[in-house]
Amino acid sequence: MGMAGWWRALLRAARRYPWPTNVLLYAALFSAGDALQQRLRGAPADWQQTRRVATVAVTFHGNFNYVWLRLLERALPGRAPRAVLAKVLCDQAIGGPVAVSAFYAGMSILQEKDDIFLDLKKKFWNTYKSGLVYWPFVQLTNFSLVPVHWRTAYTGLCGFLWATFLCFSQQSGDGTFKSAFTFLHVKEANALERSPKK
């Protein structure tokens, strides 16, 4: 089956089984974000960590997003500017904090940490503020252009980048974009220093 065949099968699955299709796509993209951040950090592949991320994505994030986006559409139907802006505001005021909290607490539970709220307490506000730089623009596009039955998958696609950042923050960052960019800058400088001089 070629790429076109896979795409048609995915479209059929999304129409026939929208919930599981969206949740599985979301989880796959979120997990790929974790694998990417491990690669960017230069760490060996930690499949247990990626499995934990996938577990949080399947058991909570994908399902939460599917239900939450449909609830927002029912409460504030349509694509009129006022409805779209209201959905974005609700998403950032309610959905964002819930998703960030569930990620840090869920990962801590799966990692069997003594204090499952420690990462949440340390990194929540920085991560939430970082999300406010990214997610309103994503959701503005989502609520105004993407059909309802694809919104969770679209959020997962955009969540791939967010998951890369979020997993980095959970592993070694502080929840700020600055910590991620500083790490990447230092890594690049170290690579340049190690490269053979001509």
Side-chain angles (χ1 to χ4, degrees), residues 10-149:
L10 182 61
L11 290 174
R12 277 193 309 276
R15 283 191 189 95
R16 191 167 181 190
Y17 308 105
W19 192 331
T21 303
N22 275 273
V23 168
L24 292 174
L25 280 170
Y26 186 96
L29 290 162
F30 214 77
S31 303
D34 176 66
L36 176 61
Q37 72 83 25
Q38 289 179 33
R39 178 104 168 122
L40 290 173
R41 284 190 307 124
D46 182 352
W47 296 114
Q48 279 190 313
Q49 174 67 12
T50 303
R51 190 169 40 248
R52 287 189 286 265
V53 170
T55 300
V56 170
V58 166
T59 59
F60 181 78
H61 278 268
N63 287 294
F64 172 74
N65 274 295
Y66 185 84
V67 172
W68 173 245
L69 294 174
R70 283 185 160 26
L71 181 90
L72 283 176
E73 190 58 37
R74 280 196 196 114
L76 303 160
R79 295 181 183 190
R82 178 177 273 183
V84 169
L85 288 175
K87 284 185 257 198
V88 170
L89 286 173
C90 286
D91 186 58
Q92 296 313 296
I94 299 167
V98 168
V100 169
S101 299
F103 177 79
Y104 282 126
M107 289 300 294
S108 293
I109 289 167
L110 293 173
Q111 291 170 333
E112 299 177 357
K113 291 185 176 179
D114 292 334
D115 182 353
I116 63 167
F117 298 110
L118 184 62
D119 275 349
L120 180 61
K121 288 185 268 189
K122 284 182 173 179
K123 300 174 184 181
F124 173 82
W125 282 111
N126 285 340
T127 305
Y128 178 66
K129 288 186 286 185
S130 295
L132 290 175
V133 173
Y134 181 67
W135 284 108
F137 302 104
V138 168
Q139 295 298 47
L140 191 64
T141 305
N142 198 10
F143 296 133
S144 59
L145 301 175
V146 179
V148 175
H149 65 279

